[in-house]
């Protein structure tokens, strides 16, 4: 009985999440060049700021790409990840945000846009455009970003850690990863393609320490991880290290390329959720294709990013256009 109740609870939760997400799951109301008339320079302004930023801080490419992913996975792509709250109770104060950086860059882009077209471009769209631009500026693919998102007014610290509707944690197995993506209308192909975004960025040692030191609680290592790689990582990450970070794609973590897949194929994926991509025939086959002659990874990445960018968006008269990305607008009374 308890079991039934539990299952029912989970089903209910999934239905609620689906209801929230599917309201605009197809991205209705978004289009390429939404600001063509209202702010013709918008995309150029974003790109120019990002060009300056990447010239001096290329290591922000990973966190800024991830920012859009976090935003879309929680409550849909509505800029909720960017909100502060007076008592630190918004999404950005939730544990999975440890690796998010670059909020000040989003603010800088917003400030620049407000000079030219005040109150026109949403923070949710800025996040989507910035994700594309950091990809391009690190030698990755270009795609046309759909715009027209509006900003949400709610951001809750508990949302990212919700086991069903939250962010997929780094230790998820392939079944759970697929479920997390499916819940948002994303396919198994989207899962493996978007994981390729780990070609940029870093991860805290604490996110994979168990694989090096205590995988099953008997002081063992993860048998699915390359032993030489484990030895190398142990030099960098000591037990209970809360501060050190390691490159997800060592040697080219500031360049968008296919080397992440090459590493995972060689059992050198850093996170358990990276290694898990070898446990499914479809994701495994994709990673071989993606690292072979005629790879479609670059083209696929744009397609999956556009799909992700449609999750649970607010459009039309929903939400608002924030004046400052970290704050909801004052109500006019
Ligand atoms: C919110 O977080 C910041 C930085 O982490 C901290 O300095 C500040 O004291 C916190 N505010 C409250 C009300 O907890
Ligand atoms: C995958 O993880 C889920 C929970 O996260 C668990 O219920 C399931 O048994 C796991 N599947 C496998 C094959 O390990
Ligand atoms: C390994 O994990 C187990 C179970 O969580 C714990 O009891 C043990 O102290 C850990 N060992 C080390 C060396 O951290
Ligand atoms: C739990 C945790 O580390 N939260 C962090 C989330 O991000 C904000 C802003 O960067 C930090 O101030 C929090 O400490």
């Amino acid at each position: 009985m308890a079991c039934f109740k539990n299952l029912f609870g989970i089903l209910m939760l999934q239905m609620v999440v689906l209801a929230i997400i599917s309201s605009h799951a197809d991205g209705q109301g978004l289009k390429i060049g939404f600001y063509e008339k209202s702010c013709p320079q918008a995309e150029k302004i974003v790109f120019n700021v990002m060009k300056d930023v990447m010239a001096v801080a290329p290591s922000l490419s990973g966190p800024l790409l991830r920012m859009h992913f976090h935003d879309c996975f929680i409550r849909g792509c509505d800029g909720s990840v960017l909100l502060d709250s007076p008592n630190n109770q918004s999404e950005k104060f939730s544990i999975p945000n440890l690796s998010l950086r670059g909020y000040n860059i989003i603010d800088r882009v917003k400030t620049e846009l407000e000079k030219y077209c005040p109150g026109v471009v949403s923070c949710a769209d800025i996040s989507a455009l910035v994700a594309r631009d950091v990809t391009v500026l690190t030698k990755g693919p270009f795609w046309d970003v759909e715009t027209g998102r509006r900003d949400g007014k709610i951001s809750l610290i508990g949302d990212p850690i919700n086991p069903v509707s939250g962010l997929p944690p780094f230790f998820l197995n392939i079944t759970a990863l697929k479920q997390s993506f499916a819940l948002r209308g994303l396919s198994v192909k989207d899962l493996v393609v978007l994981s390729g975004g780990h070609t940029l960025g870093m991860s805290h040692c604490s996110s994979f320490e168990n694989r090096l030191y205590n995988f099953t609680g008997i002081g063992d290592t993860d048998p699915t991880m390359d032993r030489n790689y484990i030895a190398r990582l142990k030099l960098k990450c000591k037990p209970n290290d809360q501060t050190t970070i390691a490159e997800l794609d060592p040697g080219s973590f500031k360049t968008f390329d296919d080397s992440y897949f090459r590493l995972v194929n060689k059992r050198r994926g850093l996170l358990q959720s990276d290694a898990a991509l070898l446990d499914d025939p479809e994701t495994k086959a994709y990673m071989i294709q993606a690292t072979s002659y005629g790879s479609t990874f670059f083209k696929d990445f744009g397609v999956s990013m556009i799909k992700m960018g449609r999750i649970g968006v607010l459009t039309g008269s929903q939400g608002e256009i924030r004046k400052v990305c970290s704050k909801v607008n004052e109500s006019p009374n």
Side-chain angles (χ1 to χ4, degrees), residues 84 88 90-103 157:
D84 277 335
N88 296 351
S90 58
E91 278 171 37
K92 67 163 73 163
F93 296 97
S94 188
I95 290 182
N97 83 351
L98 276 169
S99 56
L100 282 189
R101 290 186 294 136
Y103 293 105
I157 192 169

Side-chain angles (χ1 to χ4, degrees), residues 85-89 93:
S85 89
N87 42 11
N88 296 351
Q89 292 299 300
F93 296 97

